[in-house]
Amino acid sequence: MKFIVLLALVAFAYAQEDADLDSPVVGEEKWPENEDTNGGFLAGFVYSNVEEGSCYFNLPEPAVLFHVLNGHIVTGDGTNPVEGRYTVAAPAGWEMENGTLRVLVYAGRGALFNATDVEFSCDPLDVAELSVYSFPQNDEVSEASSNVFYRPGYHKGDSLTITLPSPVARFNITGADGRWEITSSDDGLTHVVTGFVNEQGVDDQKEVHFSLNYLVTDEDNPRENWFSAGQITVAVTTVEEEDEGVVV
């Protein structure tokens, strides 16, 4: 499967040059399902004038895996993987490369669809302050890496809470500043990061990175504890908001 995706990525780079300007979809590379893997596609979705806004994907069928290679998922009401709905905010300039969001999809068995069947739209006014880099990056049910992007930047007194929907074999905050304090619940589902050092006005600390290994408790059902970025919960509380009982 890794080989198939690699070939698709190479083909995608060339296919962008021949984009159909009447369609938001460019460079679709598709593969059928077989006994070893689900069918799927890699495609680019072209946007314009999004600025710091959001884009929306509405799949015709829920997917086994939906991964935006260069985007962050906005968790909450706008995203529901079970229904095939995703809100995507690409908050960093490097992510919105060539005005295209690159999407990798593995469809369900017998439910393969085309990229052109996906409803895609964007709204520059829908600015999300908090988002999670898209994961998992493949369907191996092994490990994933991500980050929580906070548009205003993390500052002294801020508290980031990451809550997972299922237990994992391992969870780490990666690249952490030695002055950060990381507290985890006994069940390993909730992780709180505090101790940020930036003063207000210094806004360059915008991402907290993490990695995890999925927990496989049933070899016959390895996806039992598998989840995606759209299924975790993230929240940032500032000193002022903590006093007022408000969570971002």
Side-chain angles (χ1 to χ4, degrees), residues 51-102:
E51 299 177 356
E52 293 185 336
S54 300
C55 293
Y56 316 101
F57 293 84
N58 190 2
L59 312 186
E61 299 285 346
V64 172
L65 179 146
F66 175 90
H67 171 47
V68 185
L69 280 67
N70 59 324
H72 280 63
I73 304 294
V74 181
T75 62
D77 294 340
T79 295
N80 187 331
V82 174
E83 297 179 357
R85 292 188 292 107
Y86 300 86
T87 298
V88 176
W94 63 265
E95 288 182 315
M96 285 193 163
E97 49 193 56
N98 301 323
T100 304
L101 290 172
R102 292 183 292 146

Side-chain angles (χ1 to χ4, degrees), residues 81-235:
V82 174
E83 297 179 357
R85 292 188 292 107
Y86 300 86
T87 298
V88 176
W94 63 265
E95 288 182 315
M96 285 193 163
E97 49 193 56
N98 301 323
T100 304
L101 290 172
R102 292 183 292 146
V103 175
L104 174 67
V105 170
Y106 291 108
R109 287 289 176 175
L112 181 60
F113 52 87
N114 299 315
T116 51
D117 297 325
V118 177
E119 295 179 9
F120 175 72
S121 61
C122 300
D123 181 358
L125 300 180
D126 185 9
V127 178
E129 288 196 338
L130 198 59
S131 54
V132 180
Y133 177 65
S134 179
F135 76 87
Q137 289 85 21
N138 56 56
D139 66 343
E140 296 178 357
V141 196
S142 175
E143 59 184 5
S145 58
S146 181
N147 65 72
V148 182
F149 179 90
Y150 185 44
R151 190 177 300 278
Y154 297 96
H155 299 98
K156 281 186 177 180
D158 289 352
S159 173
L160 167 65
T161 301
I162 303 171
T163 304
L164 311 179
S166 301
V168 294
R170 179 190 61 82
F171 180 92
N172 282 332
I173 299 294
T174 55
D177 187 306
R179 292 163 290 185
W180 294 359
E181 182 177 340
I182 301 161
T183 305
S184 300
S185 61
D186 292 340
D187 61 9
L189 296 181
T190 301
H191 307 271
V192 180
V193 184
T194 56
F196 299 106
V197 299
N198 276 357
E199 299 287 352
Q200 292 293 331
V202 181
D203 305 327
D204 58 356
Q205 175 58 60
K206 294 181 181 292
E207 296 179 353
V208 171
H209 292 254
F210 65 87
S211 64
L212 59 86
N213 286 85
Y214 291 104
L215 178 65
V216 177
T217 55
D218 183 355
E219 294 295 337
D220 294 328
N221 183 22
R223 294 191 174 119
E224 180 179 10
N225 297 310
W226 199 39
F227 57 87
S228 69
Q231 293 166 284
I232 74 171
T233 302
V234 291

Side-chain angles (χ1 to χ4, degrees), residues 11-31:
F12 175 82
Y14 288 100
Q16 279 187 297
E17 299 177 1
D18 300 319
D20 178 359
L21 297 180
D22 294 328
S23 170
V25 177
V26 295
E28 180 179 11
E29 294 294 325
K30 190 174 176 181
W31 54 88

